[in-house]
Every structure is written in C-alpha cells, then in structure tokens.
Amino acid sequence: MGRVFQSRAAWLALCVMAVVSLTAGVWRYSYVQALDPVAARGRSDLALAADRLVTQLSRYRETAVVFADHPVLSALHESGSRDEADALLLEVADKISALTLLYADRDGRVLASAHGVEPVDLQDTLYFRRALNGALGVAHGSSTGLTGRAYSFAAPAFGTDATVRGVLVVVVDIERLERDWRGARPTVYFTQANGEVFITNRSEMLGWQQGAAGMTTADGLLPVRRVGIGAHSVWRHGLSPYIPPRALHLVQPLPVIGLRAEALVDVAPALRLAGLQAAAVAGLCLFFGAFLIVATERRRTLSVANAELEERVQARTQALEDANTALRFEVVERQEAEAALKRAQAELVQAGKLSALGQMSAGISHELNQPLMAIQQFAGNGAQLFDRGDAEAARDNLGRISDLAARAARIIKNLRAFVRNENEPMGKVDLVAVIDTAVELTAARLRADAVTLDWQRPEAAVFALGGEVRLSQVFVNLINNAADAMTGQPDKRIKVWLEDGEALRVTVSDTGPGIADPERVFEPFYTTKAVGGGDGMGLGLSISYGLVQSFGGQIRGVNDPGGGARFTVELERWREVQAA
C-alpha cells in the first residue's frame, strides 16, 4: 500500500513539474509574440511625435530663410530705422510663436531684436559662423548662446555683391512646443549627442542625462535594468510614477534636427496577454490531468459494472426486438387502414356524383326523350316525303335527325364523363369548358325548377391546374346546392363568373336565403334540408372542399351583402414551368 502511494505521489509530482515547465515556455513565447504589435504601435507613435516636432521646427526654419532678405532688415546696413526693424521682428515672433528674432551683422553685433534679447558672444557660436559662410545654421541647447531651452536657426542675408552681410536668427521656444503634447502616451523624449534629455512630454525628465547605468538627475543616478526579450529591449526602472515600470525602449535617430527620438512604451498589455495564455494552458493541463486521474479510478468501477450492464443490455435488446416486431405489424395495419380510407374517399366522391345524377335524372331523361321523339317524327315524315318524291324536304329532315342525334350523343358523353372515376393526375384543364359541361348537365334540372342561370362565359379558353371530371363535379354540386337553396322562392337566379387574375377565381352566387352557419358549411353531413327528404346527405360541399384542396386551391362560402350565398373557388393557373 505504501509503495502504491509513493508511486502515485511521484507520478503526480512529475506531472506538476511538466505543467509548470510547459506553462513557463508558453508564457515566454506568448510574451515575445505579444511584444511585436506593442513595438509596432510604439514605433508608429514615436514616428508621429518625431514628425510633428520636425514639422514644427521646419516652420521656423522657413521663416528664417524667407525674412532674412527683408527690405526693412537690409536697410539697417544703410542707417535704416531700428525701431521699424524691431517692430517687424516682434510682429513676426508673435505670429509664429517664436521665443525671439534678432538680426546681426557679420561681427555679431545685434542690429534689431524682437524682445531686446542679445546672446553673448554670438560671433563665437558655430551656427552663426555657418550662416556667415552662406549656409543655414542650426543650434540647440547651450550652443545657442541663450539661457533656457532654445532651438535656433541662423539664415544668411546676402548683399548686392552676393556676400553675406547679415544674419537673421529665429529662436524657437521649446517649452511652448511641448505644451500641446505634454502628458500624452507613450513617454517620448528627445536627447542630444551627450545623452541629455532636451525635449519630452514628461516634464520631470528635463535635464536628465542618459547613460549605460540609467538616468543621471540632479539628485543622483536612477538605475535602469535593460533586459533583452527577443529582438526587443525592455527597461525595468523606477524613474517616475508617470512612466511604466516595465517599458519597451524604442529609438529613432533624427539627423535633420540633430536629436535622437526615444520612447518608453508600456508592456503591460503584452504581460497580460502572455499571462492569460499561460493560465489557459495551465488550466487545460490541470483539467485533463484531473480528468485522467478520475478516469483511471473510474475504470475499475466501470469494469465491475460492465458485466452487469451487458446482461441488462441483452435483456433490453430482446425487449426492443419484440417491440420492433409489434411495431412492424402496427405499421402494416395502418397502411391497410390508409388504403381503405382512400378507397372510401373515392367511393364517397363517386357517391356524390350519383347523388347529383339522382337529382338531375328527371331533367336528363326529358332532355334525352325530346331529341329521340323528334328523331322518330322526322324519320316518319322523311319516309312519306321520299314516297312523294320531295327529295329536298326529305334531305332537310335527315339533317335535323343528324343534329338531334348529335345533341343526344353530347348529353350522354357528358354523363359518362361525369360518372366515371378519374385516376389521371392533375394537369392542364380548360376551366371554361369545365364550367360549360357543368352548366349543360344542370340545365334540364334548372329549367324544371324555373331557375335562371347567368353564366358570363369568357371568349377565350382559361387553363387551370386540376382534373377535368373532378372540377366538373365541384361546379355541378355548387349549382345544384344553389338551386336547392332557392326552392319555394319566386325569384330564382344563379350567377356564375370567372376572374382571370394572378389566381383564377370562379364565383357561384344565388338569390336564396343564404348560409345559416358559414363556419360549418363544409363539414360532412351538415345540411339544412329535411332529414329523410331525399334531397341529399350533406356531402356535396364537403366533397367539393376536398377536391379543390387536392388541386392546391381554396373554396370559401359567405353570405352576399345583397342577399343569398356566394361560393368562390380559387385555383392555380396552369404554367408551362409546372408542366416541365
């Protein structure tokens, strides 16, 4: 037992050491990678600050070059007015916010000054001597010969003989330049050749001198520890509470103005990112380590329970097989029930047709008897006419017999089409022809009941998506129901019209009493007729509703505001895309 415990403790210690090493490696790698965007952003900020300083100083340099040959200043060599020259330089100094402007001759004697400031030993300064040689002189710091922080430009003024006879000195107020960006981030400072901080956005660093060990101030040395992280140099210091204690040191030489731009960029974001990534890796390692330990302990328990589980699975599998067998039997029974339901629906549709034929039987018999009796009479008359030798009249009788036979054949054809079972799929149907058939099938019954039918027939064919026989039954049912509803009324009128729009709408309206309960009008066996009266079982509208739904259409029944009922059948228009 003791050996097992020692083995587990050693294995656990090894895992912890591996996690610590991996976490340290991840932290180091993440820190180095995170310093790259920090350095890129810092270089951008440093370049922006350097460009701003160079641009500001360039404005003063251009002023020195432009005003060096001003007529007022040139007149000073020929007994010109100093007061006028002082006023000019003062005006220019105020406009460009310069510390001062002064004009001197070749001997360094000041001829005009904006503020009465006269540097000592101006002739001994390098930038003044450079201007005497015809070039632009530049100086900063103590080399300007002025007290305080100043940056000076000396521009030569040439005489008529192309020799330098005077020098215009423009002195820049460095403190005024710093005023706009003091306290901004990151910490930026500009050092001279000896390492002295000349310009900075942290006022406490002014006058510090940068060396290998740190920053030398008036109070002594502030040490700086420089650490190389990849290609970057990170400073650890306590220079100021306003400077990050860990900062990325960046340098950009500025030979144009004789300074070196430097920046201290806070590396706290990189440290936070590296810490988060290392913590995430450590957390994952610890999680999976704990999971592995728990999994190892659970394996024993699982192995014991596995045998019992297999027995239960076997028993459950047998039960599922029995249930599956029973389910298959149930599926077969449901399929048979569905087939029986479809057969019953087809028989119900056929019964609806026969019921409609029963209502129209007397009228149809009359429609057939009329042409048959007329055929018999015309045939007898034709024989007598042949006996008399009147061939023209006999030929006329034969033509009438042919027309009457065609009429009887058309009635029988419509009846046969109406009563047959339509098994063809939905297709292209001439809706006008379908309504014509329904009107012709119900014409005899409507004449017998003294019902006026107004069928506003379009001139051209209108094609819909549906079945010809089933659509005929729908309109026959609607016309017969309208005639039934008007039984016993003096005014019996049925109006049928077709709206040819995006969707096809056929409307059948009557002048009857209307619908007692529009919400239930399409329910099976719902009827307002007398029970046992032989007028139907209330299936006509229910059958029509199902047929229209099978075509993807809609049928609605409402009461007309002017009286009577109105049924609207909406069908899809036939399109060639559907056929394809």
Side-chain angles (χ1 to χ4, degrees):
M1 184 66 181
R3 291 182 178 179
V4 174
F5 179 77
Q6 291 177 356
S7 176
R8 290 183 179 178
W11 181 79
L12 182 61
L14 183 61
C15 290
V16 171
M17 291 177 60
V19 170
V20 171
S21 300
L22 178 61
T23 303
V26 170
W27 183 90
R28 175 74 178 185
Y29 177 79
S30 301
Y31 185 38
V32 173
Q33 295 299 316
L35 283 178
D36 291 337
V38 173
R41 186 167 57 251
R43 290 191 187 96
S44 177
D45 294 338
L46 180 60
L48 183 63
D51 290 343
R52 178 169 53 185
L53 178 62
V54 172
T55 302
Q56 290 175 329
L57 293 177
S58 298
R59 182 180 59 177
Y60 296 100
R61 180 185 60 193
E62 294 168 359
T63 301
V65 173
V66 170
F67 277 90
D69 295 323
H70 196 279
V72 175
L73 300 180
S74 300
L76 293 175
H77 297 283
E78 300 172 357
S79 301
S81 174
R82 174 164 182 167
D83 293 337
E84 185 180 357
D86 290 344
L88 173 66
L89 296 182
L90 180 60
E91 181 182 0
V92 174
D94 292 339
K95 288 182 177 180
I96 66 174
S97 300
L99 182 62
T100 188
L101 277 80
L102 55 91
Y103 185 78
D105 59 11
R106 292 185 58 87
D107 298 329
R109 184 168 52 89
V110 176
L111 302 180
S113 175
H115 299 93
V117 179
E118 297 185 7
V120 295
D121 301 329
L122 184 60
Q123 192 177 13
D124 295 334
T125 58
L126 293 177
Y127 73 101
F128 186 81
R129 292 201 300 270
R130 179 175 174 84
L132 292 179
N133 292 328
L136 179 67
V138 178
H140 53 79
S142 59
S143 61
T144 60
L146 299 171
T147 58
R149 289 184 301 142
Y151 198 103
S152 301
F153 293 96
F158 296 94
T160 56
D161 56 353
T163 60
V164 178
R165 62 176 179 175
V167 176
L168 176 63
V169 179
V170 178
V171 183
V172 182
D173 188 358
I174 297 299
E175 184 176 357
R176 182 171 295 177
L177 290 182
E178 292 175 340
R179 192 175 302 164
D180 296 335
W181 44 287
R182 184 168 293 168
R185 292 185 178 180
T187 301
V188 177
Y189 58 96
F190 299 85
T191 58
Q192 302 182 88
N194 60 357
E196 182 181 354
V197 177
F198 182 62
I199 305 174
T200 179
N201 59 0
R202 297 293 185 272
S203 58
E204 64 271 19
M205 296 184 67
L206 290 174
W208 292 5
Q209 189 167 2
Q210 182 173 291
M215 290 283 190
T216 303
T217 68
D219 298 331
L221 177 65
L222 296 178
V224 173
R225 181 184 177 191
R226 296 173 173 84
V227 181
I229 305 295
H232 308 290
S233 175
V234 177
W235 284 16
R236 294 184 181 180
H237 59 83
L239 299 177
S240 169
Y242 303 105
I243 302 176
R246 289 189 180 185
L248 187 65
H249 182 235
L250 303 174
V251 178
Q252 179 181 347
L254 299 175
V256 176
I257 59 175
L259 299 174
R260 188 171 72 162
E262 302 185 41
L264 294 175
V265 183
D266 191 4
V267 297
L271 290 172
R272 284 195 299 270
L273 181 60
L276 287 174
Q277 293 181 349
V281 171
L284 287 175
C285 292
L286 293 176
F287 171 77
F288 284 111
F291 178 78
L292 182 61
I293 294 174
V294 173
T296 303
E297 293 297 327
R298 292 189 62 184
R299 281 188 61 185
R300 299 173 184 175
T301 306
L302 291 176
S303 61
V304 174
N306 189 36
E308 182 181 355
L309 181 60
E310 288 180 355
E311 294 178 1
R312 292 183 180 180
V313 168
Q314 185 176 1
R316 185 60 178 169
T317 302
Q318 185 62 39
L320 288 175
E321 289 179 355
D322 297 340
N324 192 21
T325 302
L327 183 60
R328 283 198 296 269
F329 284 120
E330 183 178 352
V331 169
V332 172
E333 292 177 358
R334 291 197 176 187
Q335 290 175 346
E336 293 176 353
E338 185 178 354
L341 178 61
K342 290 182 178 179
R343 290 194 298 270
Q345 289 176 343
E347 293 172 359
L348 184 61
V349 171
Q350 196 67 13
K353 295 179 183 179
L354 296 177
S355 175
L357 282 177
Q359 293 179 347
M360 299 184 296
S361 59
I364 293 174
S365 299
H366 180 70
E367 288 291 308
L368 287 174
N369 283 333
Q370 279 187 341
L372 291 176
M373 292 178 62
I375 288 172
Q376 185 179 8
Q377 291 177 1
F378 283 126
N381 293 338
Q384 294 177 4
L385 292 173
F386 272 115
D387 292 340
R388 296 176 185 174
D390 191 354
E392 186 66 27
R395 186 179 295 108
D396 183 62
N397 279 9
L398 290 176
R400 293 186 179 183
I401 290 173
S402 177
D403 293 339
L404 292 171
R407 176 184 174 188
R410 187 173 66 253
I411 295 173
I412 293 173
K413 177 183 176 182
N414 290 337
L415 286 174
R416 291 179 61 189
F418 181 71
V419 299
R420 79 173 187 266
N421 283 322
E422 184 181 50
N423 296 322
E424 295 296 327
M426 293 189 298
K428 182 179 181 181
V429 176
D430 184 359
L431 195 54
V432 177
V434 168
I435 300 176
D436 286 341
T437 300
V439 170
E440 188 170 3
L441 287 173
T442 57
R445 185 265 173 94
L446 296 182
R447 282 197 300 272
D449 291 349
V451 179
T452 302
L453 177 64
D454 180 14
W455 160 222
Q456 300 179 0
R457 186 181 189 278
E459 295 297 331
V462 178
F463 297 104
L465 177 65
E468 183 177 357
V469 176
R470 287 172 284 177
L471 273 179
S472 298
Q473 181 179 359
V474 170
F475 295 117
V476 167
N477 287 345
L478 292 178
I479 295 173
N480 282 336
N481 280 353
D484 291 340
M486 295 185 293
T487 301
Q489 291 188 184
D491 183 20
K492 302 177 182 180
R493 286 179 287 108
I494 298 175
K495 183 177 180 181
V496 182
W497 70 92
L498 190 153
E499 298 178 24
D500 187 3
E502 178 64 23
L504 301 178
R505 294 184 179 88
V506 180
T507 304
V508 180
S509 65
D510 58 57
T511 57
I515 306 172
D517 190 355
E519 299 295 330
R520 300 182 55 201
V521 69
F522 295 110
E523 293 182 3
F525 306 108
Y526 174 76
T527 180
T528 57
K529 303 170 186 176
V531 179
D535 292 332
M537 300 180 294
L539 293 174
L541 289 178
S542 177
I543 293 172
S544 300
Y545 182 83
L547 292 175
V548 174
Q549 289 280 336
S550 68
F551 302 144
Q554 296 289 335
I555 181 170
R556 294 183 293 275
V558 296
N559 287 318
D560 202 319
R566 181 194 302 167
F567 288 88
T568 302
V569 178
E570 185 174 313
L571 299 170
E572 291 187 17
R573 178 183 297 279
W574 171 263
R575 292 180 174 85
E576 296 301 327
V577 176
Q578 293 174 334

